[in-house]
Amino acid sequence: MLKINKETFKKDYEKKFLEMHGTELAFASEQSKYETLGVLVRDYVAGMWLSTTKSYNENNEKQVYYFSMEFLLGRLLGNTLLNLGIRDMCKEALAELNISLDSLEELEQDQGLGNGGLGRLAACFLDSMASLGIPGNGCGIRYKYGFFEQKIIDGSQIEAPDNWLRSGNVWEIRKADKAEIVRFGGEVKVEDINGRLAFTHINYEPVLAIPYDTPVVGYENDVVNTLRLWSAEPVSNEFDFSSFSRGDFLKAIEYKNSVEAISQVLYPEDSFYEGKMLRLKQQYFFVSAGLQSIIRHYKSNGGNLKGLDEKVAIHINDTHPTLIIPELMRILMDDEGFAWEDAWRITKNICAYTNHTILSEALEKWPVDMFRKLLPRIYMIVEEINSRFCQNLWNKYTGQWDKIHRMAIIADGYVKMAHLAIAGSHSVNGVAKLHTEILKKQEMSDFYYYYPRKFNNKTNGITHRRWLLKANPELTNLLKETIGPSFIKHPMDMEAFERFSNNKSVQEKLHDIKRNNKVNLAEIIRSNQGIIIDPDSIFDVQVKRIHAYKRQTLNALRIMDLYNEIIENPNLDIVPRTFIFAGKAAPGYFLAKKTIELINAIAEKINTDPRVQNKLKVVFMENYKVSLAEHIVPAADVSEQISTTTKEASGTSNMKFMMNGGLTMATLDGANVEIRDEVGDDNIFIFGLNEREILDYYKHGGYNAWEVCNNDPRLRRITNDLINGYYSPDREKFKTIYEHLLTYNDEFFVLKDFDSYLKAQDRLDKAYRDKHHWQKMAAVNIAHSGIFSSDRTIQEYATGIWGSEFLYKNL
Ligand SMILES: *Cc1c(COP(=O)(O)O)cnc(C)c1O
């Protein structure tokens, strides 16, 4: 443990400040105070980081490498202090220097290198691996620009670049001496050398991959793991301008720009795939650099590559890093002289793949021509993997051409990344029970019947350190007072809180804590956008990526309906509600951007209508990101998890909300099913079509949106309000939404679930009136949230997939 107290900390801080800024604290800017603290904390971490690395090497422990194109870390200062166990001490010490730790923490730029749930999951996993003492490394891309910054202007989303490195990044360390070369394009020369084929990659374009390492601090356990993000640079960065003739000079600039483009920007598409060459380049870039550095480190530590699979586990987070499989084959065969069979056995033993979605528009497949041109040697290897795979299929399914064609890795001019990931991994997992069952029985059933033992479930989780201890200190204190602090290291111990669910005084404390968090959020909303909201209204929250399957439109339609009802019946007896939305739409996703415009149009109309002021408010908060979520989640009474059943693989914000005592309004989709199983039907609000009904509609048809609409006067009216000028003088403005719902027969069953949704909202309204009973339900949710800590998830990955010996040591 760190041995610092308040006095030494204050001295260290003042000394560091002088070193860095050459001036006195009294005249300093807030930014310089933040930077000083960041650098000081990084220095505190440095010793532990080194000793963790050394001990992993000395004990020759199996290392896990979590490859992910996205890591949505958010801010690091607060959680690093928390995990070091010095946050409270630092807060007091800084206060004595007239510095507010909370305001310094708010100055940090979010590290927003991810789109949403998938990237946030990777970040929670890093925190859990370090906190469980698992030798786990993150491997990804250091995008110069992260997920775009969203501005709402006249109700519409405008995208601005996220220049997150503008004022530097105190957490990363550039490791120029650990650079690798990644090779693109060119040709493969094949020679027969003493009866063995040798493959040489020639005329390629080399790219220098520079790693930037960020420490990942475990919770009060002296463990510091590493997140390694790769940045692309030209092989020679120094341009000697005079030595270039004109043609060469332009070529050199072109080369420099094309190389730097690789790690320039994160693609802002979530659950959507586009066959862009640059994206394929990004994928191979970080996969190749990451693998080369793993092998280099393994060899320098004295390892024999024959035993690589005993000491290395590689996780493939969605199909984005699937090129790991052919790249590892390449290194083992071309560089290390392994025979195909040996290389293939080692590769399969090492690799494991997680599927994150069944949406067909998200499944990656690369055009063969593009793939072969960019990665000629890798393509040859994929072809060979495919031909051996198809041969095996033929042996089992002789004559069943359709099935073999469906399962092939290369077919119809495309390389199918999910098929490659399944064939080359020893484990394929879904991210919630329902999702895994759908993978096995529907989406990947061919593969499941071929490889039944590869498939398994690992229900997602969230780190309770960020989402409870850090985001909700008051609730954390209540838990400590009632059940003691053991839940911090063992989140399942939160179950003991259920005994307090009937305790009136605990219920009142829960109410007060929630109200304080609501007051805080109300103040953020007031200061950001000037809207005054009532902390005694129900805070009804839907925050997540804007996507048709997540059905923000269902929420919008019910608000439109409620508004109509109140206008018609001013005495309507409802608990006042504040509807809070946040989320980004992919820049090219027209329907999603229209959904944001609709929510803002509804907000504008409702918030300026004096007839409903004491009952309704609608707020769309700009630029949803991790640090904003940390303010929103603890303040929510209601968590809207209303995706079309079967479409949300797991969801993780559902878990964040329940852990903070928000009650869930949900379809039985993704992990909502498991939340329901944990808390019981009495402590959650469930509505909508179930899995069987949805799959039946998809299979046999029979859904008619017009019919549903025509049979419900409320729906007739609100769908009409979309196109009659009620929400915009421009009648065309929301026509796309109207057409999606009706003309194109609404593939997400928004209208079909409308009535059931409203009934569930009615039940919720009634339930909220009994304050004590509501807090009892909240308490049950909190008590049962421990199982959704990512510590549980990571333990399951470690024992069930990574085969990690360390667990027995740490459990
Ligand atoms: C948790 C989280 C998500 C995932 O939300 P879902 O509702 O599960 O889709 C997305 N973005 C941010 C910033 C998050 O913190």
Side-chain angles (χ1 to χ4, degrees):
M1 288 293 282
L2 276 180
K3 285 193 198 66
I4 30 172
N5 59 35
K6 228 160 59 177
E7 291 314 310
T8 55
F9 174 81
K10 281 198 290 188
K11 281 212 190 78
D12 290 350
Y13 185 78
E14 285 175 316
K15 178 158 173 278
K16 180 61 76 185
F17 189 87
L18 184 65
E19 279 170 22
M20 286 176 63
H21 303 284
T23 169
E24 273 179 274
L25 210 43
F27 308 106
S29 69
E30 290 290 289
Q31 178 65 27
S32 61
K33 291 178 194 167
Y34 159 73
E35 278 164 23
T36 305
L37 183 56
V39 171
L40 180 60
V41 173
R42 195 190 63 204
D43 290 353
Y44 284 154
V45 165
M48 278 191 229
W49 199 359
L50 186 66
S51 49
T52 301
T53 308
K54 270 192 177 155
S55 109
Y56 289 162
N57 289 342
E58 277 160 18
N59 301 327
N60 198 16
E61 293 196 66
K62 187 168 190 177
Q63 297 273 333
V64 176
Y65 296 91
Y66 194 84
F67 276 72
S68 177
M69 240 188 152
E70 304 188 6
F71 287 93
L72 190 54
L73 298 182
R75 292 175 177 148
L76 298 185
L77 177 58
N79 281 85
T80 303
L81 289 172
L82 181 89
N83 284 8
L84 287 172
I86 59 171
R87 187 152 175 266
D88 293 339
M89 181 276 287
C90 283
K91 196 168 180 156
E92 284 174 31
L94 288 168
E96 289 171 18
L97 298 171
N98 281 321
I99 297 170
S100 150
L101 176 59
D102 289 339
S103 6
L104 292 196
E105 285 179 3
E106 288 288 324
L107 286 179
E108 182 175 354
Q109 290 283 327
D110 273 49
Q111 197 149 320
L113 309 185
N115 271 286
L118 176 145
R120 185 54 233 173
L121 184 77
C124 285
F125 281 6
L126 292 181
D127 185 69
S128 285
M129 287 192 285
S131 295
L132 293 168
I134 292 173
N137 308 268
C139 186
I141 300 173
R142 180 182 180 268
Y143 301 104
K144 188 166 173 203
Y145 296 92
F147 196 19
F148 68 82
E149 210 178 295
Q150 178 195 55
K151 298 213 170 12
I152 302 295
I153 295 177
D154 296 331
S156 304
Q157 167 176 295
I158 303 295
E159 301 94 22
D162 164 44
N163 190 2
W164 68 288
L165 290 163
R166 193 174 36 231
S167 343
N169 171 10
V170 298
W171 305 110
E172 65 183 14
I173 296 185
R174 180 185 162 96
K175 296 265 174 79
D177 59 322
K178 298 216 158 30
E180 301 287 350
I181 303 276
V182 179
R183 297 160 177 83
F184 292 102
E187 299 102 46
V188 179
K189 197 172 76 186
V190 187
E191 289 164 298
D192 188 325
I193 297 180
N194 303 329
R196 208 191 129 99
L197 291 182
F199 299 86
T200 320
H201 194 177
I202 55 171
N203 298 329
Y204 55 79
E205 184 181 272
V207 172
L208 192 64
I210 308 267
Y212 286 72
D213 287 356
T214 297
V216 182
V217 177
Y219 185 81
E220 295 191 358
N221 64 355
D222 290 358
V223 169
V224 181
N225 285 345
T226 302
L227 168 61
R228 175 163 285 184
L229 301 178
W230 296 89
S231 178
E233 292 186 9
V235 168
S236 168
N237 216 353
E238 272 86 66
F239 283 96
D240 180 359
F241 291 104
S242 59
S243 76
F244 282 105
S245 69
R246 189 180 146 71
D248 286 346
F249 170 74
L250 289 179
K251 257 204 184 123
I253 295 289
E254 228 173 75
Y255 163 68
K256 181 172 189 287
N257 289 341
S258 91
V259 166
E260 284 169 355
I262 295 173
S263 54
Q264 192 76 4
V265 62
L266 166 80
Y267 275 96
E269 264 90 35
D270 188 64
S271 308
F272 187 78
Y273 151 83
E274 258 185 308
K276 289 272 165 65
M277 171 90 102
L278 182 59
R279 169 101 173 168
L280 184 58
K281 235 174 163 173
Q282 290 184 330
Q283 297 185 347
Y284 185 65
F285 168 73
F286 92 102
V287 155
S288 176
L291 249 184
Q292 291 183 62
S293 91
I294 291 169
I295 304 274
R296 192 181 304 281
H297 174 258
Y298 177 80
K299 284 167 56 173
S300 74
N301 212 29
N304 179 333
L305 285 170
K306 281 188 191 140
L308 188 69
D309 50 346
E310 285 160 33
K311 293 296 167 192
V312 167
I314 290 179
H315 210 88
I316 300 175
N317 191 29
D318 211 334
T319 52
H320 321 143
T322 300
L323 293 173
I324 282 281
I325 291 162
E327 175 69 357
L328 184 50
M329 291 295 287
R330 181 191 70 78
I331 294 176
L332 290 174
M333 295 187 305
D334 297 2
D335 297 352
E336 305 290 343
F338 278 75
W340 180 280
E341 288 74 13
D342 295 329
W344 185 240
R345 179 180 40 76
I346 293 173
T347 299
K348 277 212 295 195
N349 283 345
I350 287 177
C351 295
Y353 154 65
T354 297
N355 172 285
H356 282 270
T357 179
I358 62 159
L359 296 178
S360 56
E361 64 267 33
L363 297 181
E364 290 191 302
K365 53 180 201 231
W366 297 102
V368 161
D369 292 342
M370 181 198 283
F371 194 116
R372 184 168 36 204
K373 189 153 174 269
L374 188 68
L375 308 167
R377 177 61 183 138
I378 295 300
Y379 184 73
M380 292 170 81
I381 293 171
V382 174
E383 261 188 325
E384 182 66 20
I385 294 173
N386 181 53
S387 97
R388 287 171 186 244
F389 177 61
C390 290
Q391 182 63 54
N392 289 340
L393 290 177
W394 179 259
N395 294 343
K396 180 157 181 182
Y397 303 125
T398 313
Q400 299 185 44
W401 287 107
D402 270 5
K403 189 196 265 297
I404 294 168
H405 179 251
R406 266 201 319 268
M407 294 176 73
I409 294 164
I410 303 175
D412 307 321
Y414 288 97
V415 180
K416 301 188 173 172
M417 299 304 266
H419 299 190
L420 177 58
I422 297 170
S425 300
H426 67 277
S427 165
V428 176
N429 77 282
V431 291
K433 281 180 192 160
L434 177 72
H435 170 59
T436 301
E437 284 312 304
I438 292 171
L439 284 183
K440 294 201 300 201
K441 287 197 227 120
Q442 308 275 330
E443 301 303 310
M444 295 182 166
S445 59
D446 289 334
F447 288 93
Y448 174 58
Y449 292 115
Y450 187 62
Y451 293 128
R453 296 218 306 269
K454 276 194 193 185
F455 284 74
N456 64 91
N457 176 248
K458 296 286 169 282
T459 300
N460 281 168
I462 54 163
T463 168
H464 59 290
R465 287 166 290 275
R466 181 175 294 263
W467 297 108
L468 176 60
L469 307 198
K470 171 72 183 13
N472 202 341
E474 284 195 53
L475 179 56
T476 304
N477 282 336
L478 178 63
L479 286 168
K480 281 192 212 162
E481 284 162 23
T482 47
I483 62 173
S486 72
F487 73 95
I488 295 175
K489 288 243 173 186
H490 305 280
M492 296 291 278
D493 289 357
M494 287 166 79
E495 273 190 32
F497 192 59
E498 184 156 12
R499 282 193 288 115
F500 294 87
S501 64
N502 282 312
N503 180 315
K504 282 258 153 53
S505 116
V506 167
Q507 288 168 357
E508 272 154 32
K509 281 184 184 149
L510 278 176
H511 174 269
D512 294 346
I513 291 167
K514 184 62 80 183
R515 194 173 186 288
N516 288 343
N517 292 332
K518 288 164 78 175
V519 168
N520 290 341
L521 182 63
E523 173 51 24
I524 292 172
I525 289 171
R526 189 204 58 76
S527 82
N528 287 351
Q529 44 203 122
I531 301 175
I532 308 291
I533 58 176
D534 173 8
D536 291 315
S537 63
I538 298 176
F539 279 21
D540 181 329
V541 179
Q542 188 173 19
V543 292
K544 49 184 76 251
R545 287 301 294 265
I546 313 292
H547 205 296
Y549 85 84
K550 291 179 183 278
R551 299 202 296 190
Q552 281 90 359
T553 41
L554 176 58
N555 196 345
L557 289 175
R558 101 42 222 220
I559 300 171
M560 291 163 66
D561 177 68
L562 187 56
Y563 177 52
N564 290 342
E565 273 215 59
I566 298 174
I567 299 295
E568 262 167 33
N569 176 8
N571 295 323
L572 188 73
D573 179 25
I574 61 157
V575 182
R577 277 210 210 198
T578 302
F579 301 95
I580 297 170
F581 291 87
K584 295 175 186 174
Y589 190 176
F590 188 70
L591 183 64
K593 294 178 106 170
K594 282 289 163 192
T595 305
I596 294 177
E597 291 176 27
L598 176 62
I599 293 165
N600 281 310
I602 296 170
E604 174 70 21
K605 195 164 182 72
I606 288 182
N607 297 348
T608 55
D609 186 337
R611 294 170 297 179
V612 298
Q613 276 326 284
N614 52 357
K615 296 219 165 90
L616 298 185
K617 278 275 163 62
V618 181
V619 181
F620 189 98
M621 297 186 77
E622 201 171 65
N623 203 30
Y624 187 53
K625 54 181 172 177
V626 173
S627 59
L628 186 59
E630 286 171 40
H631 293 300
I632 294 175
V633 166
D637 296 305
V638 179
S639 155
E640 296 281 347
Q641 306 300 339
I642 60 177
S643 55
T644 308
T645 299
T646 71
K647 295 294 181 185
E648 185 77 272
S650 163
T652 48
S653 75
N654 44 4
M655 303 168 184
K656 299 168 195 166
F657 285 107
M658 80 175 294
M659 191 175 276
N660 284 276
L663 298 195
T664 311
M665 167 64 65
T667 49
L668 283 178
D669 197 16
N672 302 344
V673 179
E674 285 151 84
I675 293 178
R676 194 272 317 260
D677 292 346
E678 277 296 322
V679 303
D681 282 310
D682 293 344
N683 297 298
I684 191 167
F685 300 91
I686 299 293
F687 73 97
L689 294 169
N690 63 30
E691 180 207 1
R692 193 181 37 74
E693 291 164 324
I694 295 272
L695 292 178
D696 214 57
Y697 272 133
Y698 282 133
K699 210 162 166 184
H700 304 297
Y703 175 56
N704 185 334
W706 285 110
E707 198 180 291
V708 176
C709 183
N710 287 329
N711 287 329
D712 187 333
R714 300 166 304 182
L715 279 176
R716 275 209 304 276
R717 172 147 180 217
I718 52 182
T719 51
N720 209 32
D721 286 346
L722 289 171
I723 51 165
N724 65 8
Y726 196 57
Y727 285 98
S728 167
D730 172 7
R731 290 167 181 233
E732 298 291 303
K733 191 163 179 175
F734 302 120
K735 203 162 163 212
T736 310
I737 296 178
Y738 178 88
E739 288 180 338
H740 193 265
L741 291 175
L742 287 161
T743 319
Y744 302 115
N745 205 34
D746 177 22
E747 63 178 306
F748 297 112
F749 305 100
V750 172
L751 302 186
K752 183 77 187 169
D753 274 348
F754 180 78
D755 181 62
S756 159
Y757 184 47
L758 259 62
K759 286 185 173 129
Q761 291 291 357
D762 230 36
R763 297 198 297 274
L764 188 148
D765 177 280
K766 300 281 175 311
Y768 193 80
R769 294 162 197 241
D770 182 344
K771 291 261 139 64
H772 284 285
H773 186 68
W774 182 271
Q775 293 306 337
K776 176 204 151 92
M777 294 197 286
V780 172
N781 272 268
I782 296 164
H784 287 273
S785 68
I787 196 168
F788 299 108
S789 165
S790 45
D791 288 7
R792 186 269 312 151
T793 315
I794 285 297
Q795 281 164 5
E796 290 179 1
Y797 274 89
T799 48
I801 298 178
W802 301 331
S804 309
E805 61 209 34
F806 42 74
L807 263 183
Y808 307 109
K809 196 180 72 199
N810 288 295
L811 287 183

